[in-house]
Amino acid sequence: MTLKIALAQTNFLVGNIAANVDNIVKAAIHARDDLGADMIVFPELTVTGYPAEDLLFRSDFITAANNALYQIADRVAGIALVIGFPEREDDKLYNSAAVLHQGAIVACYRKRALPNYGVFDEQRYFTAGDQPCVFEFNGRFIGLTICEDVWRTGIIEDNKQAGAELLLTLNASPFNSGKIHQREDIVCRQVKAAQLPLVYVNQVGGQDELIFDGASFVVNADGDIVFRAAEFKEQLSVVEFDGNQPIKSTCAPLYNQISSEYQALVLGIKDYVRKNGFQGAILGLSGGIDSALVLALAVDALGADKVEAVLLPSRYTQDMSNEDAVLEAQLLGVHYHSIPIEPAVKAFTGMLADIFVGTAKDATEENIQARCRGVVLMALSNKQGKLLLTTGNKSEMSVGYATLYGDMSGGFAPIKDVPKLLVYQLACYRNSISQVIPERVITRPPSAELAPDQIDADSLPPYDVLDPILERYIEKDQAADEIIAAGFSRADVARAISLVDRNEYKRRQSPPGIRITERAFGRDRRYPITSGYKGI
Amino acid sequence: MTLKIALAQTNFLVGNIAANVDNIVKAAIHARDDLGADMIVFPELTVTGYPAEDLLFRSDFITAANNALYQIADRVAGIALVIGFPEREDDKLYNSAAVLHQGAIVACYRKRALPNYGVFDEQRYFTAGDQPCVFEFNGRFIGLTICEDVWRTGIIEDNKQAGAELLLTLNASPFNSGKIHQREDIVCRQVKAAQLPLVYVNQVGGQDELIFDGASFVVNADGDIVFRAAEFKEQLSVVEFDGNQPIKSTCAPLYNQISSEYQALVLGIKDYVRKNGFQGAILGLSGGIDSALVLALAVDALGADKVEAVLLPSRYTQDMSNEDAVLEAQLLGVHYHSIPIEPAVKAFTGMLADIFVGTAKDATEENIQARCRGVVLMALSNKQGKLLLTTGNKSEMSVGYATLYGDMSGGFAPIKDVPKLLVYQLACYRNSISQVIPERVITRPPSAELAPDQIDADSLPPYDVLDPILERYIEKDQAADEIIAAGFSRADVARAISLVDRNEYKRRQSPPGIRITERAFGRDRRYPITSGYKGI
């Protein structure tokens, strides 16, 4: 006997339970009526979206999420729904998956493996379940699992032992570069070992720092992927099962690494703007590579008509910077203004002259310029209800080569987790689709243009040295000696590490940005500001 | 036979293992030689400081912390040391307490109750221990516990069952208003029930958002406190035990609530400045109550010579504001400047005139003023290496009545967790010691002075209505209906809640500040920015 299971790869808004309920019902009816599905499986914590963070401590919120289940059960019949929700029992909360069928909750599973590392804080909110849940549906025994469960050893096996012939997994598995291969490898290996076919449904969409990449899939008992949904897109698809074996269906091809990183950034911008109700986005265009990439990403995410660029030249801005910035805006068809910052810089210089008399020029004067730009950009953002995009990259964020309240101003920092070398690669990748970033922007030496003839290499090791050091220190937690042993000079390592150590205070006040590496700043890497730790 | 136990209520720098080792050794030798102590007990995770956050993921850091134990054991004999450290075994980390005696580790306990709520993330780092640890010392059986252990039921009892005659507790228990009573009540009740005398050693000092208040104590088997160390101060004291019973000693009196809140804020500023190596502090003085209080706190923390005040009047600043600001600086003997912001405001207005032509004035123009102040203050901070103190209070932070990169600029926000009504109470408290805040600052209606004749009450419910609503919504997670049922108008509740909901993005970029309530913004209350949750 065949069974048709719909995989609902949805992009829901965290916290909007009423809208999520409507969308669940709509998807179920569509799956039932148009796709002939017998069952529809949604992502982890469907009803609330993931991660709802401390909203999960709100009693009203949890009550609404639990009531939602009954509302859904009342509104849909003729198809079984597998839905994630925060289940309250007495004073405990579980990360649960319920099966709704013909108006009743016929099974309910409590997640056993609660991740509490990296960006995950599930033990802050949830109590772990302690047993598998296998239910009968149309003569089949189906097991339920949730996300981390299938990354651990033992839980798939437990389901097998409990009689499961087929496994469903509800997920909110966030993207980072290369994650999809890791995810499929681990799941397929475990499935093959247990000989238990598995349906894996992942959510999709941007949620603050996190991108969920979708790419839901179905694995047969031999560990072969027989269906894969698209990455970075909502999709509702049906896979048919003959007995317990899924019938080979379409497999969306996987993006290569650079392309998936680009798509993740585009989706992140799109969802942050859309879900937070902005009219569009605005950014400062310097003629440098970072803002050029962010402009391209923003246009790809929102459309040229929703993006506004602002040139903010100073006396140190070279002509070619202005020319390139204009060219970038023109190539992408983006409306731009140019607002020289000199009047404001002069005003501040005058206001501070008496106090600064006799002091040497230092970073203070550079910061004033960056902050004048920040004030103008924020004024435009405030007046028009457009999101200001911050254009700093991960290398800068790491070493603090950025001005707090200056170029760090903005509501969202799309490339905050993109190291400088990857910025170049992403720019070249985007240009390989169509030329939107002038060649000179890619080839000229990067400069903050805050002092005469300044280039980044005056203050920092070259990026092809700096970036690998930063990756080792920040993402891999390697010690200085380990990094030096890998072939980097002690001077470069010392310079990089001491800058990272010293600049936690800046990062703490930076806008959220899109996580694409294994370890992003923000909720992923949690360091004290006040710290006597010296990496070197 | 008597036993002398030293309680080392220390204020260590997180992350500086080498310095902490030196201080541990110094304290132990002092306790042995000058105080005749047989044993010295330190706070939780002594060697690393608490909380070390993701430094605990660094292999080099953990190696150093584990080696530190042997270094200490090598350097001190003739006194037993009870020291907290992150114990590594294989790939697991434990929050442990070791007993060092005559060059050897004679006992080691692994914390069983790992808090993972509020500001605590211990399950992110540690594996829980699963058994008590009782060791013999000078003919006595002594049990070891760590912080959360003695808040849970069962663990003290387990120690009794395992033969403990006396209990030691190593703590890093952060302050919030009223916490000390809660702490002593719970511990004394449990001690009395188990009839097991207890030595409670707490760390002291400011660490980013957290204040540790010290107030270490000793309880006899009847649950009576027979010794208490001072609050908010380092202290090394010895308590003598006759058999297993502590001999009544000195009990430092407890500060009352307002006084302890004030002390906590002073210590927070002092330690943030000192531990982060700033030359002093600077702040903008508006003539309003918030900056007046922060000035007083800063002077009490750092001394008048380390504090600099800046008046930044605009065309909307009333004369009395300038007069009062000057008077505040004079009363406290603080150096001040006045830098009118008009030239910068005029410059930006001119730069934006073409683009803003035909638009109505709105918050944009107010924000420009606030941001001009931010630029000036940050320039002074940058040039002089002084920490800029942000003067916003919790009520403002809650409803977003503050300008990002404007008055929110700064490295540290001392009264960020102080609701406006409490700001007034603290100001009056400080004046009750000596008059440093002019009476008019306390009695006049609060105003941001960013538009003609503006007062806060134009935009917000009055603070005696707003603050209780915010406390219920933010600290107690109450639903709108619950708050309304408690007697607040639907309009006020709706206004307050919707502002809180909408302004998470501002809070995410705000500087860290001192936590004094049960729920502070920052790592304590973790909300998504992108959220469809509507509290009303």
Side-chain angles (χ1 to χ4, degrees):
Chain A
M1 203 177 89
T2 65
L3 171 73
K4 283 184 168 177
I5 298 181
L7 288 79
Q9 177 172 303
T10 48
N11 184 351
F12 285 175
L13 180 56
V14 162
N16 197 341
I17 293 172
N20 294 348
V21 165
D22 286 345
N23 287 325
I24 289 167
V25 168
K26 218 177 293 173
I29 291 172
H30 173 53
R32 179 192 68 193
D33 296 348
D34 305 325
L35 306 174
D38 305 297
M39 173 182 282
I40 180 167
V41 183
F42 289 89
E44 183 175 9
L45 290 171
T46 328
V47 164
T48 56
Y50 188 98
E53 303 188 66
D54 281 7
L55 284 171
L56 294 168
F57 290 142
R58 303 200 67 87
S59 182
D60 57 332
F61 185 71
I62 298 300
T63 300
N66 280 262
N67 290 344
L69 228 57
Y70 297 95
Q71 293 159 13
I72 297 165
D74 279 351
R75 287 168 64 182
V76 194
I79 183 167
L81 297 92
V82 185
I83 294 172
F85 77 111
E87 180 193 0
R88 178 166 51 198
E89 190 183 68
D90 303 325
D91 60 344
K92 289 194 170 126
L93 204 63
Y94 300 91
N95 182 341
S96 294
V99 182
L100 313 185
H101 194 219
Q102 311 300 46
I105 299 175
V106 298
C108 190
Y109 167 71
R110 292 168 175 173
K111 188 177 185 179
R112 293 167 66 188
L114 299 175
N116 207 65
Y117 56 82
V119 299
F120 302 109
D121 286 299
E122 291 196 20
Q123 291 170 30
R124 181 174 171 89
Y125 308 107
F126 299 112
T127 300
D130 55 8
Q131 51 191 334
C133 169
V134 176
F135 66 99
E136 194 182 347
F137 182 75
N138 285 4
R140 279 170 188 84
F141 290 93
I142 302 179
L144 293 170
T145 52
I146 301 176
C147 210
E148 187 82 1
D149 284 337
V150 298
W151 291 70
R152 304 263 173 101
T153 48
I155 293 181
I156 290 183
E157 194 48 50
D158 273 5
N159 272 274
K160 179 96 176 182
Q161 302 248 330
E165 299 164 327
L166 170 62
L167 213 53
L168 308 178
T169 310
L170 290 72
N171 304 274
S173 178
F175 170 83
N176 57 251
S177 193
K179 175 80 167 281
I180 192 164
H181 300 291
Q182 192 191 5
R183 188 190 291 147
E184 291 190 351
D185 286 353
I186 284 176
V187 174
C188 290
R189 204 166 54 233
Q190 297 224 61
V191 161
K192 194 176 174 186
Q195 289 284 310
L196 197 56
L198 182 146
V199 174
Y200 184 106
V201 180
N202 194 16
Q203 76 173 26
V204 69
Q207 171 62 27
D208 290 347
E209 299 173 339
L210 300 180
I211 300 298
F212 297 91
D213 52 343
S216 303
F217 58 94
V218 175
V219 197
N220 69 18
D222 295 329
D224 302 320
I225 290 180
V226 297
F227 166 82
R228 185 189 300 114
E231 294 175 87
F232 305 111
K233 270 196 201 118
E234 281 200 293
Q235 187 174 327
L236 181 64
S237 321
V238 163
V239 171
E240 195 169 345
F241 286 74
D242 183 11
N244 298 312
Q245 282 302 326
I247 297 170
K248 177 97 184 146
S249 171
T250 53
C251 281
L254 294 179
Y255 287 112
N256 65 23
Q257 185 170 322
I258 191 81
S259 168
S260 70
E261 289 161 346
Y262 196 89
Q263 294 306 319
L265 296 171
V266 167
L267 179 57
I269 295 171
K270 186 174 172 173
D271 272 4
Y272 195 88
V273 168
R274 178 176 69 86
K275 292 181 177 179
N276 287 295
F278 287 99
Q279 301 303 308
I282 186 169
L283 76 163
L285 217 51
S286 69
I289 185 77
D290 297 319
S291 59
L293 176 62
V294 174
L295 180 71
L297 288 164
V299 169
D300 289 343
L302 309 172
D305 58 324
K306 294 283 188 200
V307 181
E308 182 178 329
V310 190
L311 282 65
L312 296 150
S314 77
R315 72 182 78 171
Y316 303 120
T317 306
Q318 295 192 37
D319 288 343
M320 72 168 154
S321 300
N322 288 324
E323 292 159 18
D324 289 345
V326 167
L327 188 54
E328 289 160 19
Q330 288 171 341
L331 283 166
L332 285 160
V334 163
H335 181 64
Y336 68 94
H337 331 265
S338 179
I339 305 179
I341 60 166
E342 205 57 31
V345 173
K346 206 179 271 176
F348 285 116
T349 308
M351 288 156 66
L352 290 160
D354 286 350
I355 296 180
F356 283 1
V357 73
T359 64
K361 280 204 179 186
D362 56 19
T364 307
E365 285 75 14
E366 301 186 11
N367 288 339
I368 287 173
Q369 298 166 57
R371 291 191 179 118
C372 286
R373 294 193 172 104
V375 174
V376 173
L377 289 167
M378 284 304 297
L380 293 167
S381 164
N382 288 164
K383 189 64 98 185
Q384 307 178 69
K386 288 181 181 165
L387 173 68
L388 174 58
L389 295 174
T390 311
T391 60
N393 61 62
K394 189 176 193 174
S395 310
E396 290 175 2
M397 274 301 95
S398 302
V399 297
Y401 198 67
T403 300
L404 205 49
Y405 325 131
D407 52 309
M408 287 177 65
S409 297
F412 199 58
I415 61 169
K416 181 184 175 186
D417 196 37
V418 182
K420 187 81 173 188
L421 294 180
L422 184 53
V423 170
Y424 283 104
Q425 290 168 29
L426 286 164
C428 293
Y429 164 78
R430 180 59 186 82
N431 270 357
S432 75
I433 297 170
S434 63
Q435 174 92 25
V436 296
I437 300 172
E439 203 51 34
R440 186 166 62 177
V441 175
I442 296 173
T443 52
R444 65 183 282 213
S447 164
E449 296 196 327
L450 293 169
D453 302 321
Q454 184 181 43
I455 61 168
D456 292 10
D458 298 337
S459 315
L460 301 174
Y463 287 111
D464 56 353
V465 172
L466 180 63
D467 277 3
I469 295 174
L470 295 175
E471 186 187 353
R472 286 167 184 271
Y473 187 66
I474 293 165
E475 290 173 42
K476 314 236 178 271
D477 278 334
Q478 287 184 8
D481 287 344
E482 257 177 296
I483 304 174
I484 293 164
F488 297 90
S489 80
R490 178 166 288 274
D492 285 341
V493 172
R495 175 94 185 119
I497 287 183
S498 69
L499 287 171
V500 173
D501 290 348
R502 260 192 270 149
N503 283 289
E504 184 57 30
Y505 76 100
K506 282 192 192 175
R507 292 189 287 270
R508 197 68 70 88
Q509 292 191 45
S510 68
I514 301 163
R515 177 177 178 272
I516 67 158
T517 71
E518 275 187 275
R519 193 127 182 245
F521 297 120
R523 299 223 166 155
D524 200 354
R525 185 182 191 263
R526 307 177 189 174
Y527 265 57
I529 296 176
T530 303
S531 168
Y533 175 76
K534 300 254 173 297
I536 192 154
Chain B
M1 204 175 89
T2 65
L3 171 72
K4 283 184 168 178
I5 299 181
L7 289 78
Q9 178 172 300
T10 49
N11 184 350
F12 284 176
L13 180 55
V14 162
N16 197 342
I17 293 172
N20 295 349
V21 165
D22 286 344
N23 288 324
I24 289 167
V25 169
K26 216 176 297 173
I29 290 172
H30 173 53
R32 181 193 66 192
D33 296 348
D34 305 325
L35 306 174
D38 304 296
M39 172 181 282
I40 181 167
V41 183
F42 288 89
E44 183 174 9
L45 290 170
T46 326
V47 165
T48 57
Y50 188 98
E53 303 189 64
D54 282 8
L55 286 171
L56 294 168
F57 290 142
R58 303 199 69 87
S59 181
D60 56 334
F61 186 71
I62 298 299
T63 300
N66 281 261
N67 290 344
L69 229 56
Y70 296 96
Q71 293 160 12
I72 296 165
D74 279 351
R75 288 169 65 183
V76 194
I79 183 168
L81 296 91
V82 185
I83 293 173
F85 77 112
E87 180 193 0
R88 177 165 52 196
E89 189 183 67
D90 303 324
D91 60 343
K92 289 195 171 125
L93 204 62
Y94 300 90
N95 182 341
S96 293
V99 182
L100 313 186
H101 193 218
Q102 311 300 45
I105 299 176
V106 298
C108 190
Y109 167 72
R110 294 169 174 173
K111 187 177 184 180
R112 295 165 68 188
L114 299 175
N116 207 63
Y117 56 83
V119 299
F120 302 108
D121 285 300
E122 291 196 20
Q123 292 171 29
R124 180 174 173 89
Y125 308 107
F126 300 112
T127 301
D130 55 9
Q131 51 190 333
C133 170
V134 176
F135 65 100
E136 194 182 346
F137 183 76
N138 285 5
R140 284 171 185 81
F141 290 93
I142 302 179
L144 292 170
T145 51
I146 300 176
C147 210
E148 188 82 1
D149 285 337
V150 298
W151 292 70
R152 304 262 173 100
T153 48
I155 293 182
I156 289 184
E157 194 49 50
D158 273 5
N159 272 274
K160 178 95 178 182
Q161 304 246 327
E165 298 163 325
L166 169 61
L167 214 53
L168 307 178
T169 310
L170 290 72
N171 304 274
S173 178
F175 170 83
N176 59 249
S177 193
K179 176 79 167 284
I180 193 165
H181 299 292
Q182 192 193 4
R183 189 191 291 148
E184 292 189 351
D185 285 353
I186 285 177
V187 174
C188 290
R189 206 167 50 233
Q190 297 223 61
V191 162
K192 193 176 174 185
Q195 288 285 310
L196 199 55
L198 183 146
V199 175
Y200 185 105
V201 179
N202 194 17
Q203 76 174 25
V204 68
Q207 171 60 29
D208 289 348
E209 299 173 338
L210 300 182
I211 300 298
F212 297 90
D213 51 344
S216 303
F217 58 93
V218 175
V219 197
N220 69 18
D222 295 329
D224 302 319
I225 290 180
V226 297
F227 166 81
R228 185 190 298 115
E231 293 175 88
F232 306 112
K233 272 198 199 113
E234 281 200 292
Q235 187 173 327
L236 180 64
S237 321
V238 164
V239 172
E240 193 169 348
F241 286 74
D242 183 13
N244 298 312
Q245 282 304 325
I247 297 171
K248 178 94 183 147
S249 172
T250 53
C251 280
L254 294 179
Y255 287 113
N256 66 23
Q257 183 169 324
I258 191 80
S259 166
S260 70
E261 288 161 347
Y262 195 89
Q263 293 306 321
L265 297 171
V266 167
L267 178 57
I269 295 171
K270 185 174 173 174
D271 272 4
Y272 195 88
V273 168
R274 178 176 69 87
K275 293 181 177 178
N276 287 294
F278 286 100
Q279 300 305 309
I282 187 171
L283 76 162
L285 216 50
S286 69
I289 184 78
D290 297 319
S291 58
L293 176 62
V294 174
L295 180 71
L297 288 164
V299 170
D300 288 342
L302 309 172
D305 58 322
K306 294 282 186 200
V307 181
E308 180 178 331
V310 190
L311 281 67
L312 296 149
S314 77
R315 72 182 79 171
Y316 304 121
T317 306
Q318 296 193 37
D319 289 342
M320 71 168 153
S321 300
N322 289 324
E323 292 159 16
D324 289 343
V326 168
L327 189 53
E328 288 160 19
Q330 288 171 339
L331 283 168
L332 284 160
V334 164
H335 181 64
Y336 68 93
H337 330 265
S338 179
I339 305 179
I341 59 167
E342 205 57 32
V345 173
K346 208 179 267 177
F348 285 117
T349 309
M351 290 156 65
L352 291 160
D354 286 352
I355 297 179
F356 283 2
V357 73
T359 64
K361 282 205 175 183
D362 56 19
T364 307
E365 285 74 15
E366 301 186 11
N367 287 339
I368 287 173
Q369 298 168 56
R371 290 190 179 117
C372 286
R373 294 192 172 107
V375 174
V376 173
L377 289 168
M378 284 304 297
L380 293 168
S381 165
N382 289 164
K383 189 62 97 185
Q384 306 179 68
K386 288 183 181 165
L387 173 69
L388 174 57
L389 296 173
T390 312
T391 59
N393 62 60
K394 188 175 195 176
S395 309
E396 289 175 4
M397 274 301 94
S398 303
V399 297
Y401 198 67
T403 300
L404 206 49
Y405 324 131
D407 51 309
M408 286 177 66
S409 296
F412 199 58
I415 61 170
K416 182 184 176 187
D417 196 37
V418 181
K420 187 79 173 189
L421 294 181
L422 184 54
V423 169
Y424 284 103
Q425 289 167 27
L426 287 163
C428 293
Y429 164 77
R430 181 60 186 81
N431 270 357
S432 76
I433 296 170
S434 63
Q435 175 92 26
V436 295
I437 300 172
E439 202 51 35
R440 187 165 63 177
V441 175
I442 296 173
T443 51
R444 65 185 281 212
S447 164
E449 295 196 328
L450 293 168
D453 302 322
Q454 185 180 42
I455 59 168
D456 293 10
D458 298 338
S459 313
L460 301 173
Y463 288 110
D464 56 352
V465 172
L466 180 63
D467 277 3
I469 295 174
L470 294 175
E471 185 185 354
R472 286 165 183 271
Y473 187 66
I474 293 165
E475 289 174 43
K476 314 235 177 275
D477 277 334
Q478 288 186 6
D481 287 344
E482 256 175 298
I483 303 174
I484 293 164
F488 297 90
S489 82
R490 177 166 290 273
D492 285 340
V493 172
R495 176 94 186 117
I497 287 182
S498 68
L499 286 171
V500 173
D501 289 347
R502 262 192 267 149
N503 282 291
E504 186 56 32
Y505 76 101
K506 281 193 193 176
R507 290 188 288 269
R508 197 68 70 91
Q509 291 190 45
S510 68
I514 301 163
R515 176 177 179 271
I516 66 158
T517 71
E518 274 189 277
R519 197 132 181 242
F521 296 121
R523 298 220 167 153
D524 199 356
R525 185 183 190 263
R526 307 178 190 175
Y527 265 58
I529 296 176
T530 303
S531 168
Y533 174 75
K534 300 254 174 297
I536 194 155

